[in-house]
């Protein structure tokens, strides 16, 4: 008896039944998604009643494939990355029943898009150095401060927010985690322009924003613990299936090399081949990591993958410009845009070069990742910390 | 053989101070940033102040021809400061490259350049290395026809100096910009925006024939002076990053106290010192008309091109998120550095030429040329 | 296409444990160090234990021919452990390269190799890449004449496998070492000491004709297995350095708490993981007789050759003064790594072959060959 | 009036007179050297009566040249590097009149060779972590401990020694500086073999070594200050005259490239040219530094030179082996030798590769030099120090 196959078969039947009962073509898009959530086919590893069936996460892929096959509408997952990838698992881990009732379904259907209000200009890699204040006022909290690097803030209805509720205890102890309504009049969203000319991110200014205490996630002062649950979800995402050779940046550069015989020079060839080999090494490392995860040998090696990815994207996009020569001196377009996704391959080589610089900064700088690898993988001793036991108020800024 | 002086003379230090003061006074980074949205209003007054008030336009022109009769040493010092400020002025393209291409021709454009009343650009793609043949246009009965792409300094120029194919070799024609179609192109480095040029039987004035050596000398000096500019870019990146990391605090301490970052900045310092030495040597060798000038230029160009890129990339990374923003000036230097790396010969082209010059050929045979 | 498994199977993990236990039991670093002063007494008993007791000699020989019928995956696992211990045994030269060169020939040497009673060496310079023609000797009436320099595994061999030039191509002759002059040469890596071979009408037995493909397959597998050995070397260097820096204290704190060193070790870890993936892929591709096996080998060989050198160089530097001493084993790994980088094709040769295989030719024309 | 030329002319006259009075060919070697010392022509920048004339240091070069021209015997400066370069200036700065009377002349003439007993196995880069103890016993000190990396210990009559005289005060405060007699029966010198097979250095074991208090240099507890004077002399030595292009390792590799057309490959050529350019950059940086020093703009930039030198020597010697291929797999000789000088160019490429690894360790590791550049040149903040205020005895080892 193969129980795994058994489960998969039953799940498949469930999808068949659902699709028979809800015509993916004629049913209203939102109605269809709500019904799918209610049937437990949204994220099968979530509990029953919360959009799931309490199954193994890897079964989701087959469900999604079946719905895609049937031409069913999806929940635009790329528009709600923060909601689906970070807010949802954190809600599941720390949310009250009321919170789950209120927020999970519209999150999954995409009726409510979420953004993340963690980063601050003064904090940077020191994520816990949040200065945005939340002060209790009866059954509400009043929030003032400034956040930055918020993608989708202009489209989001809700946000996960980390704020300081007690400046008189050490840095990590005085934080609390909230669900913030982005339509509050005290919220101002300003596009933050990047070196590419685009504005993928925003600055968010909070002035007297009111949040009911019922929208607090976790206990007062436990915000750092809750936020770490969120951030771990960010780093776990190593991505699904096999990646073919010459995917991504190395493919762009290889294609350019093949197309430009006149620009070939031995020094560029040497670097091309070195980076080609390194890209293959990184691809195979990713494959190996996926195989490890599949047999349950996980680890913090995701940090290593992100390091390699950033380094290769930067070196390859730099080489691409050198390879192009005169063409590399031109840029496609400096106009301010506000894209919802990064379009690495649709834009020009200059854009790729500049945008790739962010790969070693966003979602944990390479320096922080190297610390993580050194300490958590290799077991090297941590740095001396001067900010552990000092009240936040007393830390020099 | 006397050893060339690689330090800055007092005259050069004074010149540096003058240029730096003017740039600090007149040019904020936001003015350069605005150029990326098409606002080029800063260029003309700034260049007029440098070219005419300080007389930099005629720096390299002999006194007999109306200029200052200074040498590549002084021009290199100016370039360093222009790099340090990411200044959007056509000094390199007009006062170095175009000027050297026509100096000694006796053509009236030389006197106009010397006085700073005319700004010129040599109409070759900015990526052109000093070692190969340059693209040429055709001339018939005093008019020039053809096109050149990605020319630096053309947007700021009054006169275009066009390499023209003549029966007995290369000639240079001067064509007023009013007779040309000069189309600005979005450029990686908008502080030195490029343009495509189209000439359709444009009336031109023949500046000189037998011009291959002049064009080559112009591009070679351009590459050497660009190396000093790149040193300026790298110096700004190093100094700016050190300042930022001394102030910026994370985890309760200055970010600049973290050893991994300190070591990277120390490495960068070593490279900036090395780059400075190579750029100084190239300038000194050109100034002295030393037989080693071409070797010196190839060394400086290949070293400093990569130095500036490395420095700007490190500066951006070590600034963290703020470095990725449009408001912070670090991206102006990254774009300037990356574009400069591709300009006037890629580092690999300079090293290739060097391999020939110092007898380290690639090929197994000793047939001569290394590629 | 099914994805090749890049993990270690349980069988491979067991094999690794067995080999590692034996090496920990029988081989101390001081025994390897002694080889640099000419004391090679460790080699024979250690190899006998591995070859015969554990049966590693016949690992790659099909069961039908008396061997274990294991694949390149298992051989790679063994090589990793041999690298990790800098073990001075001829597994790579005899049980991989020589064995593959003669497997399927039906010659009696195969059965002897399988039983571990004979150790062989393919008589080509250790630097030979799998991609070009190999140096050949001359045979007349069953005797072989000529010389080969810098052969690995010859000192440990009973039989030399000599590539011989015949009218219709390459043949392999087996010559007993007793019929050859085998002169040990001081080698950079004395844990795999080289020898010069001279044959003067030495009587040989013809193993196979039309042997070009066999020799090529032997060298290719050698390069792939060497990559796993290099991963073993790099892993030892990383782990040993991490351990040392966790213990060693300076300035009142563990040296391993200094961020600059932590970042370097983290970088090295990322590289070791990458190298492991490439070496595993090459072994898996060879084991599966995958059409990508040659590409996989070239990737692994070029990546892991440099990885091992980098790891050993970093290990030495981060150990500080003690790493420069004869007593500390780190130098054994540095020498092994640097020699291995030059063996069975230099990284540049592997990348050059790769360029052909994946259509990234250097030359501007598409005439084919890339050099 | 050019006083500088004036001084040089007078000095030249003095040499002429001296040579007339002491025939360099017929005078006994030691007598000749003693007389030269007494005439103030040993090191002209030292005071009168101490082998000098109180002149500018750069005048020494012309004096040496004159003596060399005349075929005069020299003091074998390469055999007594520590004595001449480090012990002498430290003696001059901290020595008593008696000590100067006793030690300076035989040091300069080479009658007494000096070595340095600073480094210890447990200290490494943490130079002040000296554990060798010196305990006062009346007018003597009794010294016990172990030193390492001592070159010339087997030939030396005297040593400069750093020892701990008070373990109950913080690390830097409890050290004292001595002049130690290497012929003391408590001294045992053992060759320390290096990875090249050679033994350039020694371990020195000190067991009940007795040193009269009159051989203490500087006050008790001031050893760290005195040792720093010595070490600064080590780092200042950037070396005399102009260095021609393709000197040293880059010359070796370039020569090898020219001689081996068959080994040329594009990837090696790319690296060769990069390193050639970097070597020139380093050479020109050295030239620039010399010019700066000549006009009195000194600085801690010597550290930067040493960093470049080590890096280039290592990368070039590694490339040399790759360039040679099969020949690089062979080694010239593993026999244990005890050379008094390193013979980089006379030995084989494998030796060069291995020996160059020491360039980034000896005389200050590259990591320590990077710290120095970061802190003293760039002004970046120092690391947090946990060992500053703790008695040496209480520091965890």
């Amino acid at each position: 008896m193969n129980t795994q196959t058994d489960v998969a078969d039953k799940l498949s039947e469930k999808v068949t039944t659902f699709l028979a009962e809800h015509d993916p073509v004629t049913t209203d898009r939102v109605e269809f998604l709500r019904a799918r959530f209610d049937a437990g086919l949204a994220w099968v590893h979530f509990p029953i009643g919360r959009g799931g069936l309490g199954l193994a996460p890897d079964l989701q892929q087959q469900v999604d494939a079946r719905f895609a096959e049937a031409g069913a509408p999806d929940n635009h997952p790329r528009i709600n990355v923060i909601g689906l990838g970070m807010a949802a698992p954190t809600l599941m881990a720390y949310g009250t029943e009321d919170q789950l009732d209120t927020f999970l379904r519209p999150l999954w259907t995409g009726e409510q898009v979420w953004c993340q209000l963690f980063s601050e200009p003064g904090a940077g890699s020191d994520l816990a150095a949040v200065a945005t204040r939340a002060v209790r006022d009866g059954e509400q909290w009043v929030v003032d401060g400034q956040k930055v690097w918020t993608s989708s803030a202009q489209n989001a209805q809700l946000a996960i927010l980390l704020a300081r509720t007690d400046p008189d205890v050490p840095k990590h102890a005085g934080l609390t985690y909230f669900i913030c309504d982005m339509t509050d009049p005290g919220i101002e969203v300003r596009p933050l322009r990047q070196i590419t000319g685009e504005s993928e991110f925003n600055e968010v200014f909070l002035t007297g924003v009111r949040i009911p205490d019922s929208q607090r996630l976790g206990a007062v002062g436990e915000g750092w613990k809750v936020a770490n649950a969120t951030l771990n979800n960010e780093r776990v995402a190593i991505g699904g299936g096999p990646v073919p050779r010459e995917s991504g940046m190395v493919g762009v550069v290889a294609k350019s090399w093949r197309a430009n015989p006149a620009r070939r020079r031995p020094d560029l060839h040497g670097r091309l081949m070195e980076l080609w080999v390194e890209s293959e090494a990184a691809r195979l490392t990713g494959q190996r990591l996926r195989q490890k995860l599949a047999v349950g040998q996980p680890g913090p090696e995701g940090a290593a993958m992100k390091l390699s990815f950033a380094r290769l994207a930067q070196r390859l996009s730099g080489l691409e410009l050198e390879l192009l020569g005169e063409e590399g001196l031109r840029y496609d377009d400096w106009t301010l845009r506000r894209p919802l996704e990064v379009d690495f391959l649709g834009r020009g080589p200059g854009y790729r070069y500049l945008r790739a610089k962010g790969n070693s900064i966003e979602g944990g700088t390479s320096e922080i990742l190297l610390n993580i690898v050194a300490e958590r993988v290799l077991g090297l001793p941590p740095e001396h910390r001067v900010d552990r036991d000092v009240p936040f108020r007393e830390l020099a800024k | 053989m006397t050893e060339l002086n690689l330090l800055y003379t007092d005259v050069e230090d004074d010149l540096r101070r003058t240029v730096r003061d003017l740039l600090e006074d007149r040019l904020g980074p936001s003015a350069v940033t605005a150029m990326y949205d098409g606002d080029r209003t800063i260029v003309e007054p700034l260049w007029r102040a440098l070219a005419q008030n300080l007389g930099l336009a005629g720096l390299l022109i002999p006194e007999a021809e109306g200029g200052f009769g200074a040498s590549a040493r002084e021009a290199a010092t100016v370039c360093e400061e222009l790099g340090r400020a990411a200044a959007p002025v056509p000094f390199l393209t007009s006062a170095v490259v175009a000027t050297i291409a026509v100096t000694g021709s006796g053509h009236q454009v030389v006197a106009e350049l010397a006085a700073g009343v005319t700004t010129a650009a040599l109409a070759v793609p900015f990526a052109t290395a000093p070692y190969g043949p340059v693209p040429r246009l055709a001339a018939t009965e005093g008019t020039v026809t053809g096109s050149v792409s990605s020319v630096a300094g053309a947007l700021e120029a009054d006169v275009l100096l066009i390499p023209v194919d003549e029966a007995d070799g290369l000639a240079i024609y001067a064509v007023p910009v009013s007779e040309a179609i000069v189309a600005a192109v979005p450029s990686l480095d908008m502080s030195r925006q490029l343009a495509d040029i189209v000439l359709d039987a444009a009336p031109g004035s023949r500046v000189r024939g037998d011009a291959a050596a002049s064009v080559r000398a112009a591009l070679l000096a351009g590459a050497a002076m660009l190396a000093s500019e790149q040193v300026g870019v790298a110096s700004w990146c190093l100094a700016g990053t050190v300042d930022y990391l001394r102030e910026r605090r994370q985890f309760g301490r200055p970010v600049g106290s973290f050893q991994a970052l300190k070591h990277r900045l120390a490495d960068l310092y070593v490279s900036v010192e090395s780059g400075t030495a190579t750029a100084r040597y190239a300038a000194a060798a050109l100034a002295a008309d030393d037989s080693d000038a071409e070797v010196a230029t190839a060394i400086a160009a290949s070293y400093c091109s990569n130095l500036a890129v490395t420095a700007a990339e490190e500066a951006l990374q070590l600034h963290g998120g703020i470095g990725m923003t449009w408001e912070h000036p670090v991206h102006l230097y990254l774009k300037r550095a990356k574009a400069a790396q591709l300009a006037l010969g890629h580092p690999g082209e300079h090293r290739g030429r060097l391999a020939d010059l110092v007898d380290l050929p690639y090929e197994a045979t000793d047939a001569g040329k290394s590629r």
Side-chain angles (χ1 to χ4, degrees), chain A, chain B:
Chain A
M1 272 203 337
N2 187 328
T3 56
Q4 224 177 327
T5 316
D6 221 39
V7 171
D9 287 349
K10 278 203 185 137
L11 183 58
S12 178
E13 259 171 59
K14 207 169 156 61
V15 174
T16 307
T17 312
F18 181 89
L19 286 170
E21 287 170 3
H22 304 79
D23 184 333
V25 181
T26 59
T27 314
D28 171 75
R29 188 176 166 281
V30 171
E31 288 312 319
F32 183 89
L33 291 168
R34 287 178 179 169
R36 182 173 160 186
F37 181 93
D38 294 338
L41 296 169
W43 30 42
V44 296
H45 60 294
F46 269 45
I48 292 170
R50 298 296 176 207
L53 297 165
L55 303 178
D58 55 346
L59 290 166
Q60 186 63 40
Q61 224 174 337
Q62 74 169 82
V63 174
D64 291 346
R66 289 288 308 283
F67 276 96
E69 245 168 59
D74 73 6
N75 59 350
H76 299 168
R78 313 191 72 163
I79 301 299
N80 199 9
V81 173
I82 300 286
L84 293 164
M86 302 176 73
T90 312
L91 275 167
M92 206 56 242
Y94 290 95
T96 62
E97 292 299 305
D98 277 357
Q99 288 171 340
L100 297 175
D101 286 345
T102 310
F103 294 114
L104 273 188
R105 194 167 86 164
L107 185 163
W108 188 82
T109 60
E111 290 163 86
Q112 290 182 333
V113 169
W114 291 60
C115 66
Q116 180 185 353
L117 298 175
F118 284 12
S119 300
E120 297 190 5
S125 289
D126 188 3
L127 297 177
V130 162
T132 293
R133 287 280 278 124
V135 177
R136 186 129 193 177
D137 180 20
E139 279 310 291
Q140 292 195 318
W141 295 83
V142 183
V143 184
D144 290 275
Q146 183 189 346
K147 296 288 180 175
V148 75
W149 301 115
T150 313
S151 53
S152 296
Q154 71 271 38
N155 303 315
Q157 284 76 45
L158 292 164
I160 45 180
L161 166 72
L162 198 57
R164 186 159 304 279
T165 43
D166 186 354
D168 294 315
V169 294
K171 190 162 74 175
H172 296 84
L175 299 172
T176 303
Y177 196 110
F178 297 97
I179 297 163
C180 174
D181 186 347
M182 288 295 286
T183 63
D184 186 290
I187 298 256
E188 188 197 350
V189 174
R190 291 189 207 156
L192 178 65
R193 199 170 181 185
Q194 283 172 277
I195 66 174
T196 53
E198 288 190 343
S199 190
E200 287 171 54
F201 300 98
N202 300 279
E203 292 178 291
V204 178
F205 296 82
L206 301 98
T207 314
V209 173
R210 297 201 155 251
I211 301 177
D213 188 54
S214 60
Q215 285 181 207
R216 172 169 47 74
L217 210 52
V220 173
E222 297 222 319
W224 182 243
K225 194 174 80 181
V226 184
N228 265 306
T230 305
L231 294 170
N232 286 341
N233 279 297
E234 180 174 39
R235 292 199 185 117
V236 157
I238 302 163
V243 178
R245 181 171 287 163
E246 290 194 7
S247 294
M249 205 72 90
V250 70
V252 173
V253 179
K255 204 168 143 188
S256 173
W257 181 267
R258 293 186 187 112
N260 288 290
R263 297 277 318 153
R264 294 179 192 162
R265 285 205 317 270
D267 60 302
L268 295 174
H269 189 249
R271 282 166 59 207
L272 171 68
M273 290 313 300
E274 270 183 41
L275 291 173
W276 194 94
V277 166
E278 283 183 39
S279 298
E280 264 298 289
R283 185 181 74 86
L284 293 167
T285 310
Q287 180 173 325
R288 200 156 174 264
L289 190 53
R290 269 190 299 101
Q291 294 177 348
K292 272 191 192 177
L293 291 171
V295 299
Q297 306 174 356
E301 297 92 342
M305 285 306 303
K306 183 170 180 298
L307 283 165
S308 299
F309 167 75
R311 187 166 163 280
L312 283 166
Q314 291 172 356
R315 291 186 59 197
L316 282 161
S317 60
L319 176 63
E320 188 189 3
L321 287 177
E322 294 178 56
L323 215 156
L324 292 170
E326 185 190 325
E327 199 190 320
L329 287 167
R330 301 165 79 115
Y331 196 77
D332 54 356
D333 188 3
W334 289 114
T335 313
L336 173 58
R337 313 172 184 208
R338 298 184 73 176
L340 289 173
E341 294 180 57
V342 183
D343 187 11
F344 251 113
L345 306 185
R347 294 285 307 265
Y351 174 87
R352 280 191 281 280
Y353 174 72
L354 296 172
R355 183 60 188 79
K357 296 290 170 242
N359 294 158
S360 53
I361 297 173
E362 57 201 336
T365 65
S366 288
E367 290 73 25
I368 292 292
L369 295 176
L370 287 168
N371 285 347
I372 289 175
V373 170
E375 294 174 15
R376 298 196 206 155
V377 183
L378 299 177
L380 288 164
E383 285 283 315
H384 173 80
R385 289 291 294 261
V386 297
D387 59 342
R388 283 270 183 224
D389 307 316
V390 183
F392 180 77
R393 200 188 283 287
E394 288 168 23
L395 286 174
K397 296 302 180 315
Chain B
M1 173 179 107
T2 347
E3 200 176 80
L4 293 168
N5 175 19
L6 305 186
L7 306 180
Y8 300 97
T9 62
D10 292 344
V11 171
E12 288 156 29
D13 277 335
D14 288 347
L15 179 60
R16 171 200 301 291
R17 174 51 48 205
T18 310
V19 173
R20 191 181 291 190
D21 285 350
L22 188 143
L23 291 170
E24 281 174 0
D25 194 37
R26 302 275 191 100
L27 177 69
S30 62
V32 184
T33 308
M35 297 179 77
Y36 284 80
D37 286 323
D39 176 358
R40 297 177 49 84
T41 49
I42 183 72
V43 179
E44 204 277 328
L46 184 66
W47 175 231
R48 193 169 348 106
L50 287 161
Q52 297 177 5
N53 302 6
L54 300 193
L56 297 188
L59 199 64
L60 286 176
I61 298 175
E63 289 178 76
E65 296 179 61
F68 266 75
S71 78
R73 295 181 61 95
E74 289 79 20
T77 307
V78 171
C79 284
E80 255 188 55
E81 290 309 309
L82 297 176
R84 204 184 304 271
V89 291
F91 179 80
L92 181 73
T93 49
S94 181
V96 176
V97 177
T99 293
I100 291 175
V102 298
T103 302
S105 65
H107 191 277
Q108 63 168 15
V109 74
V110 180
E112 291 168 14
L113 281 167
V117 296
T118 286
T119 299
L122 182 65
V124 299
F126 194 37
T128 311
Y131 312 118
V134 297
R136 305 150 186 227
L137 278 63
T140 336
E141 295 169 9
T143 71
V144 184
T145 298
S147 63
V148 199
S149 56
S150 307
V151 178
L155 292 177
E156 298 85 357
D158 309 303
V159 170
L160 301 172
L161 300 173
I162 316 286
V164 160
D165 210 9
E166 287 191 342
D168 55 348
L170 183 69
I172 295 176
Y173 278 62
V175 173
V177 284
S178 55
E179 302 290 343
I181 303 172
V182 176
V185 296
S187 306
L188 178 60
D189 173 16
M190 292 291 277
S191 74
R192 187 151 49 208
Q193 188 173 7
L194 309 179
D196 293 340
I197 297 171
V198 178
L199 302 177
D200 182 10
S205 150
R206 192 170 180 279
V207 178
R208 72 182 348 152
D210 205 10
S214 301
V215 168
R216 186 187 168 85
L219 294 175
L220 205 66
M225 296 303 101
L226 184 58
S228 278
E229 196 188 293
Q230 289 161 331
V231 166
V233 167
S235 303
W236 183 91
C237 291
L238 174 61
T241 307
V242 166
D243 286 348
Y244 180 71
L245 295 192
R246 268 205 295 235
E247 295 305 319
R248 171 88 168 165
R249 295 180 74 89
Q250 289 192 334
F251 305 103
R253 52 193 267 204
V255 176
S257 72
F258 283 95
Q259 197 194 30
L261 312 191
K262 284 163 74 172
H263 279 199
R264 280 162 67 172
L265 287 168
D267 270 330
L268 186 55
Y269 165 81
V270 173
S271 301
V272 170
E273 286 295 293
S274 294
T276 306
T278 65
R280 281 274 87 190
Y281 180 61
L286 280 173
D289 205 9
D290 193 289
S291 61
D292 205 35
E294 190 171 350
V295 168
T297 298
I299 290 169
S302 66
Y303 192 93
C304 298
S305 288
N306 291 340
L307 166 67
V309 172
T310 301
E313 290 180 343
E314 281 289 81
L316 191 149
Q317 177 67 24
L318 296 177
H319 274 76
I322 189 82
M324 281 298 288
T325 65
W326 194 254
E327 284 124 85
H328 194 280
V330 75
H331 70 105
L332 305 175
Y333 292 86
L334 180 67
K335 292 162 184 174
R336 182 107 167 188
K338 191 66 191 175
Q341 185 188 40
L342 313 182
L344 295 164
H346 178 267
E349 289 176 88
H350 292 292
R351 283 195 299 265
R353 175 64 185 153
L354 202 49
D356 293 342
L357 291 171
V358 302
D359 184 28
L360 290 168
Y362 157 55
E363 269 136 17
T365 64
D366 47 12
K369 281 287 162 203
S370 85
R371 39 212 91 274

